Amino acid sequence: SVSIVAFGNERDGFSEDSQQPSLIWSYLGRSAVISQIDSSLSASHIGNPVFTEYQACVFGNVRLVVYDCPVWGIFDSDWYTSCRLIGGADVIVIKYSVNDKTSFQELNDSYVPMVKKALNHCSVPVIISAIGARKNGVPCTCPLCTSDRRSCVTTSEGVQLAKELGATYLELHTLNDFYIQKYFGGVLEYFMIQSLNQKSSEKMKKRKKTQKCHRVQPPQLEQPEKMPILKGKASHYNADLHNLLCCCQCSDVAFYPEDLSTVVEAHKIILCSVSPFFMLLFKVKSPADIPDTSIVQMAQSLFAVEPGAAFPPAPRRVPPCVPPVRVVVKDSVFCSCLPDILHFIYSGAFQWERLEEDIKKKLKDPEKIEHVLEKVKCMLKTPGKLSPVKDCRSHQIKQLYNTSLRLFFNTPVLADVIFKIQGATVPAHRAVLVARCEVMAAMFNGNYLEANSLLVPVYGVSKDTFLSFLEYLYTDTCCP
């Protein structure tokens, strides 16, 4: 989940348009990444008269909770609640009207020190939002006019406030689509994605500490040795790819049971990088390229790639350039365990015992459990060799196979975006870019031109430097 706390009143008390919707409510109603809003909470104060709570779904299935506090008096009347809100926030928004100088001065003099004191105990990104078009131009600076409520708050005053709080400063001249959805929304969604990535990374670290020391090696979402330039920095490679599955960003595969009742989303690039089985399914390889007939036979008996016209639409956050591949899972028992199998693959930790436990809890029947596990073993089998997962729990084993995301670096296979740089073209895969780079995630999932463009120009950097950057995203290492 993501928690946003907003302080301040963006309305000008002397304006005729005092009934305009608030900044936060306007964002929830206009943003493309908001899939559902709990309207029952929008008009009521939840348990506290000084703030309003909104709840929504963001990025498809992530819970968003917003606490909107228009009255700064919450710091005077309830210091404990205000500190609790800031301490539990993932993003803080401070808003004010540029035409209400007195309120801004009160904020600057009385409440900014309190906010700074509360922020000393936590590290939270802050967005300063100056709302409205200035009505009287540049205000008079003489001492006699400093208390004039109709004088405007200048840009320099807003920037200075942002510097004091280490915040991002935005001016929103009006609450229309551009300023709300693209300008304010783009910055807010960047910090939201950053928060989700950080939480996913911390969750993975905690899980690793609780696991046994000896585990089976990962299915070649490999962790290469770091170059000297990267030593001493923790790798988020596995956590980034696992978070990609959790958030379902840029998914291009939709798995359905035969009755089309549910859908499980995934990514061709990740699946093909860990198994020749999926390379065959998505036509990266032909049956003639895979000498092991058992893999070919199981692919044909387990899955069927179908045209998408008869399928219900999969939930998507951003309009895709290419519709997702629709795949019917013919085996209903295997289909019921598919989410657990995908988490097993995307985690990069090859936690076979954990997968066994999850499937046992779900199926109960020993024959069905063995049936599903045998299919997973065949799926991860190296063509022409005995299955290396034959006895998965006995001891650590070597890497399962030799394919990885490195295989798809700078190749047009499965590419869905092309960067144009210095007259050359560089193919890439949105799923990898979004998973590994927060800036790319904001660009491809936000309301930007690149989100639906196949060709993306890159300026101000050489092709070799850009390729080194992409190599690091794909392999977690790069050539110095």
Side-chain angles (χ1 to χ4, degrees):
S1 65
V2 178
S3 176
I4 298 174
V5 178
F7 293 105
N9 193 342
E10 61 274 49
R11 295 185 176 88
D12 176 9
F14 292 89
S15 173
E16 296 179 0
D17 191 20
S18 60
Q19 299 301 318
Q20 64 177 336
S22 67
L23 170 64
I24 297 299
W25 184 245
S26 296
Y27 166 73
L28 293 175
R30 295 173 184 264
S31 175
V33 303
I34 304 294
S35 57
Q36 182 182 352
I37 305 174
D38 189 344
S39 58
S40 63
L41 297 172
S42 62
S44 60
H45 298 294
I46 307 301
N48 197 316
V50 293
F51 68 82
T52 302
E53 178 183 341
Y54 305 118
Q55 292 188 12
C57 285
V58 63
F59 304 124
N61 59 352
V62 177
R63 181 169 171 261
L64 175 67
V65 181
V66 180
Y67 300 98
D68 196 356
C69 312
V71 182
W72 281 102
I74 186 174
F75 283 89
D76 297 323
S77 61
D78 196 342
W79 172 252
Y80 170 78
T81 298
S82 57
C83 286
R84 178 177 59 82
L85 288 174
I86 291 179
D90 296 307
V91 185
I92 293 174
V93 178
I94 294 178
K95 44 199 171 69
Y96 62 86
S97 169
V98 297
N99 293 302
D100 194 343
K101 188 64 170 285
T102 300
S103 295
F104 179 81
Q105 288 176 334
E106 184 180 13
L107 159 64
N108 226 350
D109 298 339
S110 302
Y111 300 114
V112 168
M114 296 183 181
V115 174
K116 290 173 69 174
K117 181 179 178 181
L119 285 174
N120 284 338
H121 305 290
C122 54
S123 177
V124 184
V126 180
I127 302 174
I128 304 292
S129 300
I131 316 295
R134 295 178 177 84
K135 297 180 179 178
N136 63 338
V138 179
C140 179
T141 56
C142 68
L144 296 178
C145 297
T146 56
S147 61
D148 182 5
R149 290 181 63 88
R150 286 190 175 274
S151 60
C152 299
V153 183
T154 63
T155 298
S156 60
E157 289 174 312
V159 171
Q160 182 59 38
L161 171 62
K163 286 182 179 180
E164 287 187 37
L165 294 175
T168 300
Y169 177 74
L170 301 176
E171 284 198 356
L172 312 177
H173 299 307
T174 181
L175 299 184
N176 62 13
D177 281 334
F178 172 78
Y179 284 107
I180 293 295
Q181 193 168 347
K182 296 188 177 181
Y183 191 39
F184 174 76
V187 174
L188 183 64
E189 287 156 20
Y190 167 77
F191 286 127
M192 288 162 62
I193 292 172
Q194 192 177 50
S195 173
L196 288 172
N197 287 339
Q198 183 179 354
K199 289 180 179 180
S200 177
S201 176
E202 291 173 353
K203 187 176 180 180
M204 289 295 292
K205 288 179 182 178
K206 290 179 180 177
R207 182 178 294 176
K208 286 180 180 179
K209 289 181 181 179
T210 61
Q211 292 167 358
K212 297 178 182 178
C213 297
H214 298 290
R215 292 291 185 188
V216 184
Q217 287 286 351
Q220 197 61 18
L221 290 177
E222 63 180 10
Q223 284 283 288
E225 292 184 7
K226 302 296 178 293
M227 291 295 179
I229 192 173
L230 300 174
K231 282 186 177 177
K233 297 202 174 184
S235 171
H236 302 285
Y237 191 76
N238 284 340
D240 289 344
L241 296 177
H242 188 259
N243 188 58
L244 178 68
L245 176 66
C246 297
C247 294
C248 281
Q249 300 168 332
C250 297
S251 56
D252 54 6
V253 180
F255 291 99
Y256 293 88
E258 289 188 307
D259 61 2
L260 307 182
S261 58
T262 59
V263 59
V264 178
E265 295 181 273
H267 308 81
K268 286 188 284 187
I269 180 68
I270 304 297
L271 298 178
C272 289
S273 71
V274 300
S275 172
F277 178 94
F278 289 109
M279 288 187 181
L280 177 66
L281 185 66
F282 300 122
K283 301 186 184 306
V284 175
K285 289 186 176 182
S286 68
D289 297 325
I290 299 179
D292 196 327
T293 57
S294 64
I295 294 178
V296 178
Q297 290 171 357
M298 194 184 82
Q300 294 172 346
S301 64
L302 191 58
F303 295 116
V305 178
E306 300 283 352
F311 288 77
R316 305 189 70 81
R317 267 59 61 195
V318 177
C321 293
V322 180
V325 174
R326 311 301 178 95
V327 180
V328 171
V329 185
K330 299 178 182 178
D331 188 323
S332 60
V333 177
F334 184 89
C335 186
S336 67
C337 300
L338 187 58
D340 301 302
I341 296 169
L342 289 177
H343 278 282
F344 164 73
I345 290 175
Y346 275 72
S347 70
F350 205 73
Q351 302 156 0
W352 183 263
E353 290 88 345
R354 182 185 179 89
L355 176 63
E356 281 188 317
E357 291 172 3
D358 291 341
I359 292 178
K360 286 177 182 177
K361 288 178 183 177
K362 184 167 290 186
L363 298 181
K364 310 295 184 184
D365 186 337
E367 290 186 5
K368 291 182 178 180
I369 294 169
E370 186 63 25
H371 169 78
V372 172
L373 293 176
E374 286 301 320
K375 288 189 180 297
V376 176
K377 291 176 184 179
C378 183
M379 187 182 298
L380 301 177
K381 182 179 177 183
T382 303
K385 297 182 181 180
L386 294 175
S387 174
V389 288
K390 189 174 182 180
D391 184 10
C392 295
R393 291 171 294 179
S394 58
H395 59 279
Q396 276 191 313
I397 61 174
K398 294 182 179 180
Q399 292 172 336
L400 285 180
Y401 30 78
N402 297 323
T403 59
S404 69
L405 284 177
R406 182 185 294 277
L407 180 67
F408 296 94
F409 166 61
N410 196 22
T411 66
V413 179
L414 297 179
D416 55 5
V417 63
I418 298 174
F419 292 102
K420 188 173 183 180
I421 178 169
Q422 291 187 327
T425 56
V426 178
H429 306 80
R430 292 170 188 261
V432 178
L433 304 178
V434 166
R436 296 280 289 134
C437 177
E438 293 168 353
V439 175
M440 294 282 190
M443 179 173 72
F444 286 124
N445 284 307
N447 297 294
Y448 301 101
L449 183 64
E450 292 84 357
N452 288 315
S453 298
L454 177 64
L455 191 65
V456 177
V458 178
Y459 305 103
V461 64
S462 71
K463 178 186 175 183
D464 290 340
T465 301
F466 189 71
L467 281 173
S468 293
F469 165 67
L470 286 184
E471 183 182 8
Y472 172 69
L473 297 187
Y474 276 73
T475 66
D476 210 29
T477 187
C478 61
C479 174

